[in-house]
Amino acid sequence: SSIEYAASTRSLAQDALIEAGISEETVPLPSNPNSECGIWLAPSTIPGAGLGMYAGRDFRKGDLLQEYGDVVIPIIDIESHAREYSPEKWNFLWDEYTWDAESLQMDHEGYGHVNVASPGFGAAANSFLGIFNVEEYSPVPYDETASLHRSKDPGLGGFSMYGNRLSVAKRDISAGQEFFVSYGENWFETRPQMKTVPLFKDLKKANQLFRSFRKLIQVDKQQVLPEDVAKELWDVFIRNNKFDGSRILGAFHHDDPDELETLKKMSLQSLRRLQSTRSLEWIEEHGTCGDHLKAGPSELAQAGRGAFASRFLPADTVVAHVPLIHISDRGRLNMYQLETRSKQRRPSRSKGLLGQQILMNYCYGHGESTLLLCPYGPMVNYINHNATKANVKLRWADPQRGNHMPELLERSIEELDTNATAKLAFELVALRDIQSGEEIYLDYGEEWEQAWQEHLVKWQQHVEDHRDDFANYTSARQLNADKRSRLYTEFDQIESPRYPANVEVKCEKVFLDNDDWEVFAANNTIDDYLRSHRDELLPCEIMRVERIEGQLRYTVVMKEPDPDDDSLLINHLEEHLPRQAIRFVDKPYTSDIFLTNAFRHDIRIPDEMFPQAWRNVIQTEQ
Ligand SMILES: C[S@@+](CC[C@H](N)C(=O)[O-])C[C@H]1O[C@@H](n2cnc3c(N)ncnc32)[C@H](O)[C@@H]1O
């Protein structure tokens, strides 16, 4: 493991010191933060797959790869807000990096289709379903800020309320192995270029095929076909086989002449696992540490969460590699006011601008360009602005260490747009020594700072103008943070409405026809159970509340869409559920990110770094 590796390098150096007559205690060794690194970003072992993520140390099944998971950003109804872009021109690279909102419990934020950008671990890791080793949990709504309120906190609505999406080792992973998450079979099935990539069961089936082949060449008990004949048969049937679109044949490496021999000694799964492992020396030479940063509530009261140094980082350390997803025209993030009359509540351009997608606040841009570059990778989206305390700066990444193609800096934005994958990256570099636990700050630039100062003034005026609306608002987040109070039933609500009109009651689908939670309830660990088993939320009505063995238990009706007819709902009565089965959610377009006075501004790329070729806007905006 890397720990052993670090320890052994250290002891060699210490040996040398002792030999030179210098006591090891008095001479501190130069610290190398990379030797402690558990997660690396480096070129993938999958050919053509760009960047990948590697284990820098051993992980046991069930280990969390990070203590606090990554940010998750909803992209709301973008197809209908940006309908002016014709589908042929709709090259939205984020589509390759977004998740389905229902399974992540975020679909209630929009009326149509919510995409979920989950730009942390899962966006940087590749997917190899046959040997996937990392599972990603659902994000959790950010309850830590339940005390922030739109009537007093100008920062609210300026960052996504979702985060802490944790990654967990699904099996034991040894140092040097590439991490693979599951993008799901559907991701591979809907991409023609992926049609021969093996899915979950295909490595197993290919193994069976190989065993059948071995039987075939076994002439009788004693005799096997001569090796060259066997090899030829293998070449004819497997290696040169052009069965188009077979995922099982796709499981073999057709360009590897030794595969036949190797497979006599090990299964395809073991072989692929071995082939997706690199030495730590190789990884260190070609990669960048991906866990120098950890997340937590920011020291800046209005900023939400922030990134912190997870260990001592000497000046000039590359604190993070920051791969980028480009959006050629920032106008694509515009959101329009909704039609008030139609039931569909579609956005309409003629009604005027509502604001911009919250994704804008996570992207980098320049005043003379329509281009946005949005970062992904572990924790990099958590870094906040501070001009005076900045301890990291941006630079273009070293092309040796990932997927940065410097030649793109000379191409026009139109040309950039023809790239179907992310091919640009920044690096964040320590401006000085950074102590373990220090918050990481970047200077977002003067224009950002000025925009924030102007926001504070305008925000104050807006809140004063709408004092009552703001003061009387209760968010779903506030209601969820109260875990003790008895919830009101539908009947209580008929007597007098107890919950604000902007929230809805939903139930965790995982409690439907499933008693597994009872064991966890007995041990007081339902929250842990939910973390790994979360499924979508269903509309739900609370019918009855009882106290059973000292605990409040709820009888609810969950409403599940009929699989045969979307417009129908099937009612399920579930009795005696715990409080955790019920969640309040904000109704579409009501949560803080939709406030018309919420802060929106891209992070600014320093002028000296920004290529001439991308300056397609003559005067700076505003
Ligand atoms: C890239 S995100 C940083 C992560 C963010 N704090 C979060 O919790 O997801 C940028 C956004 O964070 C908030 N932010 C960052 N620096 C801030 C600062 N100095 N003061 C107030 N808000 C800040 C703003 O809403 C900004 O648009």
Side-chain angles (χ1 to χ4, degrees):
S1 78
S2 71
I3 294 164
E4 281 155 12
Y5 166 66
S8 67
T9 351
R10 202 158 285 193
S11 72
L12 279 179
Q14 281 165 338
D15 285 352
L17 291 175
I18 292 161
E19 222 167 84
I22 304 167
S23 147
E24 52 173 313
E25 269 121 58
T26 52
V27 182
L29 282 162
S31 79
N32 174 8
N34 286 337
S35 61
E36 294 168 28
C37 184
I39 296 173
W40 287 83
L41 281 80
S44 175
T45 56
I46 302 179
L51 206 62
M53 306 254 286
Y54 292 87
R57 61 176 174 85
D58 294 344
F59 289 91
R60 294 230 147 263
K61 180 177 174 179
D63 281 355
L64 287 178
L65 304 192
Q66 297 146 315
E67 295 165 36
Y68 188 106
D70 244 299
V71 67
V72 175
I73 306 164
I75 305 176
I76 290 132
D77 299 339
I78 190 161
E79 293 85 354
S80 41
H81 283 293
R83 338 189 248 285
E84 82 235 42
Y85 296 93
S86 63
E88 311 82 70
K89 283 179 122 188
W90 183 248
N91 171 23
F92 193 59
L93 196 47
W94 272 101
D95 288 342
E96 296 299 309
Y97 297 85
T98 46
W99 274 253
D100 168 51
E102 269 174 32
S103 59
L104 300 189
Q105 302 194 342
M106 292 163 73
D107 51 318
H108 57 87
E109 294 276 12
Y111 281 111
H113 190 220
V114 180
N115 291 320
V116 180
S118 176
F121 194 96
N126 287 313
S127 186
F128 190 161
L129 297 181
I131 55 169
F132 98 99
N133 51 15
V134 175
E135 183 134 56
E136 290 180 285
Y137 287 167
S138 286
V140 280
Y142 188 31
D143 289 346
E144 292 101 307
T145 53
S147 63
L148 295 187
H149 192 271
R150 55 173 67 172
S151 64
K152 62 178 179 56
D153 292 299
L156 214 54
F159 50 86
S160 163
M161 298 312 294
Y162 297 92
N164 204 3
R165 185 166 197 211
L166 294 165
S167 316
V168 185
K170 208 180 146 44
R171 45 161 51 245
D172 289 354
I173 303 171
S174 37
Q177 252 176 15
E178 184 164 353
F179 289 122
F180 293 119
V181 294
S182 162
Y183 299 170
E185 298 203 323
N186 187 47
W187 192 90
F188 290 93
E189 280 161 355
T190 51
R191 285 166 174 75
Q193 71 278 23
M194 300 283 164
K195 70 177 182 204
T196 56
V197 173
L199 303 184
F200 281 115
K201 300 268 182 301
D202 294 319
L203 288 186
K204 233 184 187 165
K205 289 183 195 157
N207 243 349
Q208 285 162 358
L209 182 70
F210 177 74
R211 283 201 296 270
S212 313
F213 173 77
R214 291 200 76 184
K215 271 194 204 140
L216 189 80
I217 58 173
Q218 186 89 36
V219 181
D220 54 41
K221 275 207 177 107
Q222 282 85 41
Q223 208 190 344
V224 185
L225 281 184
E227 207 163 286
D228 52 336
V229 180
K231 208 156 184 275
E232 206 175 322
L233 276 178
W234 181 252
D235 281 355
V236 170
F237 287 111
I238 306 295
R239 284 222 306 137
N240 297 330
N241 205 306
K242 299 281 184 284
F243 287 132
D244 228 9
S246 161
R247 295 189 189 274
I248 299 173
L249 288 188
F252 296 103
H253 280 184
H254 298 240
D255 52 356
D256 176 4
D258 300 328
E259 197 167 63
L260 177 61
E261 275 311 301
T262 324
L263 287 181
K264 289 181 188 162
K265 289 174 238 139
M266 65 177 82
S267 71
L268 255 178
Q269 287 97 318
S270 311
L271 178 58
R272 291 291 170 264
R273 233 168 253 135
L274 205 67
Q275 287 165 332
S276 62
T277 304
R278 307 254 202 207
S279 75
L280 289 173
E281 289 83 349
W282 186 94
I283 293 171
E284 192 161 351
E285 195 184 329
H286 296 90
T288 312
C289 176
D291 71 3
H292 284 331
L293 303 180
K294 60 182 182 182
S298 171
E299 282 160 9
L300 303 170
Q302 293 302 316
R305 299 137 302 190
F308 298 81
S310 55
R311 53 183 67 95
F312 173 71
L313 302 169
D316 299 327
T317 303
V318 177
V319 167
H321 182 80
V322 188
L324 299 163
I325 294 174
H326 55 268
I327 299 176
S328 56
D329 183 351
R330 59 174 66 222
R332 290 179 189 190
L333 299 189
N334 283 350
M335 299 175 83
Y336 298 96
Q337 303 278 0
L338 304 182
E339 294 278 6
T340 36
R341 274 192 296 165
S342 78
K343 229 181 154 192
Q344 291 277 309
R345 312 253 25 223
R346 277 182 25 126
S348 157
R349 262 193 91 125
S350 59
K351 294 248 166 211
L353 205 61
L354 175 70
Q356 274 100 27
Q357 299 278 354
I358 186 68
L359 181 62
M360 174 71 90
N361 286 8
Y362 292 86
C363 299
Y364 292 77
H366 189 277
E368 291 172 28
S369 180
T370 60
L371 182 70
L372 288 176
L373 297 172
C374 316
Y376 66 99
M379 306 299 148
V380 294
N381 277 286
Y382 280 129
I383 297 171
N384 289 318
H385 162 78
N386 198 323
T388 50
K389 286 193 187 165
N391 47 16
V392 294
K393 67 161 189 188
L394 279 183
R395 71 175 180 218
W396 290 107
D398 173 355
Q400 304 299 316
R401 287 172 182 273
N403 51 349
H404 178 60
M405 291 173 59
E407 57 272 30
L408 293 179
L409 306 187
E410 273 140 46
R411 307 271 167 79
S412 68
I413 291 177
E414 289 73 40
E415 279 177 88
L416 261 189
D417 224 9
T418 59
N419 267 294
T421 53
K423 297 253 170 55
L424 288 165
F426 291 141
E427 259 167 22
L428 284 164
V429 187
L431 285 169
R432 54 168 173 81
D433 288 356
I434 302 173
Q435 302 304 319
S436 175
E438 244 187 88
E439 182 155 358
I440 303 292
Y441 292 119
L442 176 72
D443 182 352
Y444 285 6
E446 264 168 48
E447 288 150 286
W448 192 96
E449 175 77 44
Q450 199 184 338
W452 175 257
Q453 295 305 332
E454 281 168 17
H455 165 74
L456 291 179
V457 176
K458 274 198 253 162
W459 182 90
Q460 194 64 42
Q461 188 57 50
H462 188 90
V463 171
E464 273 162 32
D465 293 348
H466 299 84
R467 190 182 294 276
D468 288 345
D469 293 350
F470 278 78
N472 295 331
Y473 172 81
T474 308
S475 66
R477 206 169 58 253
Q478 279 169 275
L479 294 173
N480 287 325
D482 173 7
K483 307 262 190 276
R484 294 262 181 86
S485 306
R486 169 193 183 280
L487 301 181
Y488 295 108
T489 64
E490 288 297 310
F491 308 105
D492 299 329
Q493 295 259 56
I494 293 169
E495 263 171 39
S496 70
R498 323 271 175 150
Y499 295 124
N502 55 287
V503 301
E504 249 173 286
V505 178
K506 298 253 181 169
C507 285
E508 301 268 1
K509 189 179 169 181
V510 67
F511 287 88
L512 192 69
D513 296 331
N514 178 5
D515 297 332
D516 292 357
W517 61 271
E518 284 176 10
V519 184
F520 295 87
N523 298 325
N524 253 330
T525 54
I526 301 189
D527 290 327
D528 296 337
Y529 170 74
L530 265 182
R531 214 166 53 160
S532 49
H533 289 79
R534 259 207 173 94
D535 192 348
E536 58 191 91
L537 292 169
L538 295 176
C540 163
E541 288 175 353
I542 305 172
M543 309 308 285
R544 197 170 60 216
V545 192
E546 289 153 284
R547 196 171 277 282
I548 300 175
E549 291 167 10
Q551 302 286 336
L552 288 175
R553 293 284 182 243
Y554 295 89
T555 296
V556 302
V557 175
M558 286 197 217
K559 296 161 184 290
E560 192 185 26
D562 186 336
D564 299 323
D565 180 354
D566 260 6
S567 63
L568 298 177
L569 289 172
I570 303 173
N571 287 339
H572 300 274
L573 186 77
E574 287 288 336
E575 289 185 300
H576 309 147
L577 294 184
R579 168 69 181 81
Q580 285 97 330
I582 300 163
R583 261 204 101 80
F584 294 94
V585 299
D586 298 299
K587 286 190 181 157
Y589 289 80
T590 66
S591 74
D592 295 315
I593 55 171
F594 296 98
L595 283 169
T596 49
N597 64 341
F599 181 68
R600 283 295 180 280
H601 207 279
D602 53 320
I603 304 168
R604 288 294 154 99
I605 300 169
D607 192 53
E608 63 277 11
M609 265 177 76
F610 198 78
Q612 212 55 41
W614 298 348
R615 301 186 191 227
N616 60 350
V617 175
I618 308 300
Q619 52 310 44
T620 45
E621 41 175 76
Q622 284 139 27

